[in-house]
């Protein structure tokens, strides 16, 4: 079974930057479901609530400041808003209560950045970190080639063949 690209990218980033631990991957954020703690013991209430809570890719508590990280290969823009939302949820997150009062840095990790994305991140207070490994460089090159004039022309020709003859 192959690991999905986004998950593999996160694993590579964590392995390269935080090899000794001190983080929570897929960290749930926000309060537990209303009333859950009245019905279940606290740990069970947290587990029951998990599907309804948003999750950040990575919460790093070994660093100063704390790090709230989203990793994106494609379409990194929406992660900026996610990070702002996630940071606002930290105070209501039961698992993160020991870390309250510490500064939190929002970090978007991606293999490339445009000037527009960087400007949006700056406005939101999000730090953009470029993280590249060999397998992702190849994928990103293929992805960016998709939008070139030559590739668009090849796709159009392929579509015409499908329409005319029903083949690729």
């Amino acid at each position: 079974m192959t690991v999905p690209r986004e998950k593999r990218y996160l694993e590579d980033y964590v392995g390269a930057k935080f090899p000794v631990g001190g983080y929570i991957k897929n960290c749930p954020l926000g309060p537990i479901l209303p009333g859950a703690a009245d019905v279940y013991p606290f740990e069970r209430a947290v587990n029951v609530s998990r599907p309804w809570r948003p999750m950040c890719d990575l919460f790093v508590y070994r660093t100063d400041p704390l790090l709230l990280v989203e990793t994106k290969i494609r379409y990194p823009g929406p992660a900026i808003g996610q990070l702002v939302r996630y940071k606002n949820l930290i105070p209501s997150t039961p698992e993160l209560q020991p870390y309250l009062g510490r500064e939190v840095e929002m970090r978007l990790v991606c293999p490339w950045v445009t000037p527009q994305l960087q400007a949006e991140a700056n406005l939101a207070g999000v730090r953009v970190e470029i993280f590249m490994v060999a397998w992702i460089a190849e994928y990103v090159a293929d992805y960016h080639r998709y939008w070139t004039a030559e590739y668009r022309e090849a796709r159009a020709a392929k579509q015409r063949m499908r329409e005319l003859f029903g083949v690729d």
Side-chain angles (χ1 to χ4, degrees), residues 57-78:
D57 287 344
L58 187 66
F59 178 80
V60 183
Y61 53 83
R62 286 191 67 156
T63 58
D64 190 21
L66 299 167
L67 299 178
L68 197 55
V69 179
E70 278 295 298
T71 56
K72 297 291 179 198
I73 298 171
R74 296 173 28 180
Y75 311 115

Side-chain angles (χ1 to χ4, degrees), residues 25-42:
K25 286 189 289 187
N26 301 312
C27 181
L29 297 163
I32 61 174
L33 291 173
D38 298 333
V39 177
Y40 302 106
F42 180 74

Side-chain angles (χ1 to χ4, degrees), residues 3-167:
V3 176
R5 283 186 196 101
E6 292 280 344
K7 184 174 181 175
R8 181 178 174 195
Y9 188 58
L10 173 63
E11 294 296 330
D12 287 352
Y13 178 75
V14 168
K17 301 292 181 170
F18 310 104
V20 294
Y23 56 80
I24 303 167
K25 286 189 289 187
N26 301 312
C27 181
L29 297 163
I32 61 174
L33 291 173
D38 298 333
V39 177
Y40 302 106
F42 180 74
E43 288 299 319
R44 178 80 174 127
V46 167
N47 288 339
V48 167
S49 300
R50 191 172 179 118
W52 289 274
R53 299 167 71 200
M55 288 187 293
C56 71
D57 287 344
L58 187 66
F59 178 80
V60 183
Y61 53 83
R62 286 191 67 156
T63 58
D64 190 21
L66 299 167
L67 299 178
L68 197 55
V69 179
E70 278 295 298
T71 56
K72 297 291 179 198
I73 298 171
R74 296 173 28 180
Y75 311 115
I80 293 169
Q82 287 177 306
L83 283 164
V84 172
R85 176 181 181 220
Y86 295 164
K87 184 177 180 180
N88 290 332
L89 289 171
I90 289 174
S92 64
T93 303
E95 301 93 323
L96 303 183
Q97 294 303 299
Y99 308 108
L100 292 184
R102 290 178 57 191
E103 186 179 337
V104 177
E105 176 184 304
M106 298 175 287
R107 187 177 292 182
L108 170 58
V109 176
C110 48
W112 52 275
V113 65
T114 64
Q116 178 64 35
L117 180 70
Q118 185 64 63
E120 291 173 22
N122 291 345
L123 284 172
V126 173
R127 179 174 168 231
V128 177
E129 179 180 348
I130 303 297
F131 178 72
M132 186 67 74
V133 289
W135 72 268
I136 204 70
E138 183 180 321
Y139 173 73
V140 168
D142 286 344
Y143 175 69
H144 287 293
R145 195 173 8 261
Y146 182 85
W147 305 106
T148 64
E150 296 82 13
Y151 203 91
R152 285 194 316 265
E153 186 177 301
R155 287 196 316 270
K158 192 173 183 178
Q159 181 61 33
R160 285 191 298 274
M161 291 298 284
R162 254 190 234 120
E163 290 168 358
L164 289 173
F165 304 107
V167 296

